[in-house]
Each structure stands twice: as structure tokens, then as C-alpha cells.
Amino acid sequence: MPQPHLRTVVVLAAGEGKRMKSALPKVLHPLLGRTLVGHVLAAAAPLRADRTVVVVGHGADQVRAHLAEVAPEATPVLQAQQLGTGHAVRIALEAVPDATGTVVVINGDVPLLRAETVAALVEAHEGAGAAATVLAAEVPDPTGLGRIVRDADGRLAQIVEERDATPEQRALREINAGIYAFDVARLRDGLGKLSTDNDQGEEYLTDVFGLLRDAGEPVAVHVAADHVETLGCNDRVELAALRGLLRDRVNAGWMRSGVSILDPHTTWIDVTVTVERDAVVDQNTQLRGASVVGAGAVVGPDVTLIDTTVGAGATVLRSHAVSAEVGAGASVGPYAYLRPAARLAEKSKVGTFVEVKNSELGAGAKVPHLTYVGDATIGAKANIGAATIFVNYDGVNKHRTVVGEGAFVGCDTSLIAPVEVGDGAYVAAGSAIAQDVPPGALGVTRAPQRNIDGWVARKRPGTVSAAAAERARQAAEDASGGAAAAREGERIHEGGRSVGGPSGAGDTATE
Ligand code: UD1
Ligand code: MG
């Protein structure tokens, strides 16, 4: 009789994961954008289960807090003492006394499991009207895993843990992946009959299969197409291996959907990231969290994006970005640092050794070199000269700076917030601007320049500079035929250079 499609998912996540040697519960270790248990929940999500129960125990508070964030619909159930996987499922089912139909049980530490495989297991189970179906896989090295023992007809006889197995059973390479579908009523029956008569003195969920079979119930094995999906995680060596396998799977998926990944071995893309067609991801690049890379954008080499959006056709080179937005056709780096709420409009530029935080750059605005932009709004097509500092912090509070559209800020300027540079205004290089500059005006705070003639000869005699100065003096003297030789005392020129023209405002800032 086909089962009703009311489903319950039970995820087992109470174990300590001793071999991780970690203060963090094993199931909370991260793997390309999700925790181990997060991956398992994502694989089960398309089942649209009626109820999802997660058995927690070790680090229960931490696991509960994580579940509240990533799977608020899931019900955490406490297994105070880890008395075995059978005991864990029994406790889980107490939380869903009204459950009917199929219950899917998944170990919390199989992060490579794909949703398609869980769906296929459930379909096979429900299609066959089985009482219990186990996901199995042929693996090259079955060490430590439960073995699938079949009878002479090839049907499941029992599942035997390695430590309880005979030498012949240990030689079997077909293993229990720790993922199951059960008819809930018959599962409850089986769980009620479990003993702890085994090497670990625990209630084994796997014993339910032998018990049901002995009671004449149909039990089945569903073999996974790819054993890699069933790999568990017991220590950090295995975690690193799983990370590499998942990286390859994710990268292959994006390449097949039209993304160029130039060096897949050094490209790490979280499962939560989106990369659009014809984007190019160059080597040593990490795309993390909710990041999105737009069509035709070029990202890398040596780029980390965390929760950052890169628009179509933009370029990000050797840079680090967190919670930032890079507009279409914009250019970032090399060596830029975009911090939260850095928002770069289309075709804007943030260049080398530039840090941007909580600031908007208008379309086509440029900050090419050596600059800190904090808490600012920069208008479209404005140009910020090299070594400009947006002085946003007075030691207590942060203040905003506004630079108008088409404004031009000369090199080595401090814009001391709160301050506004108007549309089309200029700021002379080397200024410390603490008062608003009206639209179209030139703001300048530089002291007039003095040149003190002969200062080096008098104050730095015997230095390389003094020798060079002496040679220059000689050359000038020779050129003027010695006519101007007589120099007396020191002369001080005030106002040696005007600051009025565009060169005074620091046009060397742009490329
Ligand atoms: C289990 C299976 C084994 C299978 C392997 C696949 C049993 C008896 N054995 O062995 O056949 O090949 O998984 O990886 O089930 N857990 C609880 N509460 C407990 C005990 C465990 O929640 O009291 C959770 C753990 O956190 C883990 C999962 O159940 O996520 C599996 O437990 P683990 O101790 O890793 O079982 P294995 O020995 O690996
Ligand atoms: Mg295990």
C-alpha cells in the first residue's frame, strides 16, 4: 500500500565528535558556506517535511542557536545522554507522536549528501512499500562503518557494526551510509525491541532492520550512485578532504553553467554563492556567504568576497571585500579593502591601497590610490586624489563627509567630517578641509611656501645632498659665465609658488 506523503525528517546531531578535538560541536564545523548539519538540512529541505526534528546533545545550546538561525522550522530535541542512534531516534519520535507515513533519518555528519539522493531513497522506499530502507554504498575503504549483510538471495539480512562483525562480514565493502527511510509505525515497533547487547552497549538504530526482517516486514537497500556523497566526517583530516570534494563539485557545477574558473584547485566557492554566465574567476579566489558575481565580471586572482555583490562586467583584482556592493563595470584593486556598506555605483573605481567603509561612490567616481574613505558620499564622476583621508572619527563619534558630483579633491588632503565639498568644487592638494567648500569654489588651507637659499650647505655640510647642491650651484655659475657668482647671506622667498591653478589643486592624482 503506498504510504501517505506526510513526512518527518530526523537529523541525528547529539554526538560529540571526539576526534574533531574541538570546543565546537562537530556538526557546527563549517564547510563551504554551511555547517555540517546545515548541509544535511539543505539536502532534506526539498522533501518539504511536515516536521523536522534535530536531536541535540553535545553543545546543545550552541546547536540550538545555530538551528534557530538556519532552520527555524526545525524542532530541536534534547538527548541528554548519547545512548546510541536507536535511542536518539526514539527520543526524536516522542516529539512527533502524531507522525504518520515516512520518516527519514539522517546522520548529522554526512555533508556531501545531495537532495536528489535523499529524494531517490524516499521514492524507492515508498514505491516498494518497504518498512525500512537503508542508503548503502560500495566504498574502497569500509573501515569503521556498519556493513550491509545480504542473504543468499541478495536481500538485506542485517546491518552489522564493524566492532561486532565477523571477519567475513568485515571483508564486505558495502556500507551503511547512515541515511534511512522508515514507515514510522513499524520503526516505533522496532525501536521498542532494541537491546544494548553489543560491543558499545548502545541502542543501535541499525538493529531495527534485522528485527523488522525477522518479523517478516519488507526491508530494502537503496544503493547510492556515488559513494562520495555518503562520506562521513570524523576528524579534521576528513573534513579537509570533504571540503576539497565539495569544492570540486561546486566548481564543476559553475563551469558547466558557463562560468570560467581558471584554477579550480585554488578557487573556493561557498554553496550559497551565485555566479552568473561568462564571469571569470581567476586563481586563489574565495567567494563566500551570500556573494553574487554578475555576468562577465572578472574576479581574481587573489580575491576574497564575503557577502559581496559584484555587478556585470566589473573587475575585482587582488582585493578583500565584506558586505560590499560593486556596481556594473566598476573596477576594484589591486589591493583594495571594501568593508561593510561600501557601495560603488556603476563604472566607479577604487584603486590600489584604498579602504572604503560605509560609503557610496557615485557613477564613474574615482578613488585611484592610497586613500581611506569612511562614512562618505562621493558624487558621480568626482575624483579623489592620492593619499586623501576621510577623517570620519573624532575619537568619540563618526561623522559623514559629502563630496559633490564632479568635484576634484587634490592629493594628500584630509577631509575632516562633518564636511561637504560642493558639486564641481576643487580642493587644493595638501589641504586639511574642516569647513564646507561651496559648489565651484577652490578650498585651500595650505601655508605659503618659503625657500631658504643655501640652507643645505650651512646645515647639512658633508652630506650627499650638500655635494649635489654644490654641483648644481657650480653648473649654474658656469652656465651664467660666473656673472651671478656673488651670493651673499641667505635669502628667503615668500610665496614661492601659487596654489591657484589646476596644477596647484593636485591634478597628478588621476591617471
Ligand atoms: C553509524 C552507523 C553505521 C554507519 C555510520 C555511517 C549505527 C549504530 N551505526 O555509525 O552503521 O555505517 O553511522 O556514518 O547507527 N548520534 C546521536 N546520539 C547518539 C549517538 C549518535 O545523535 O546517542 C548521532 C551522531 O551525532 C552522528 C550520528 O548519530 O551524527 C551517527 O553517530 P556515530 O556515533 O557517528 O555513528 P557511527 O559509529 O559513525
Ligand atoms: Mg559517524
Side-chain angles (χ1 to χ4, degrees), residues 240-254:
L242 293 176
R243 187 173 285 118
L245 290 164
L246 186 55
R247 172 203 60 203
D248 291 346
R249 183 197 286 175
V250 169
N251 287 347
W254 288 123

Side-chain angles (χ1 to χ4, degrees), residues 153-167:
D153 301 326
R155 286 183 306 222
L156 178 64
Q158 57 172 331
I159 302 172
V160 182
E161 292 309 295
E162 176 165 282
R163 51 209 302 167
D164 303 305
T166 64

Side-chain angles (χ1 to χ4, degrees), residues 33-116:
R34 292 196 180 108
T35 58
L36 298 185
V37 70
H39 281 289
V40 167
L41 288 163
L47 294 178
R48 295 179 189 286
D50 212 33
R51 297 288 293 278
T52 299
V53 179
V54 181
V55 181
V56 301
H58 268 278
D61 290 344
Q62 275 169 285
V63 179
R64 275 199 204 95
H66 175 64
L67 291 172
E69 228 175 83
V70 303
E73 71 289 354
T75 309
V77 168
L78 182 70
Q79 185 196 24
Q81 270 186 295
Q82 283 70 62
L83 303 176
T85 48
H87 180 253
V89 173
R90 199 143 54 76
I91 287 184
L93 293 186
E94 281 167 15
V96 283
D98 52 345
T100 56
T102 302
V103 53
V104 176
V105 177
I106 312 181
N107 283 359
D109 63 352
V110 280
L112 300 194
L113 181 64
R114 289 183 314 135
E116 292 86 331

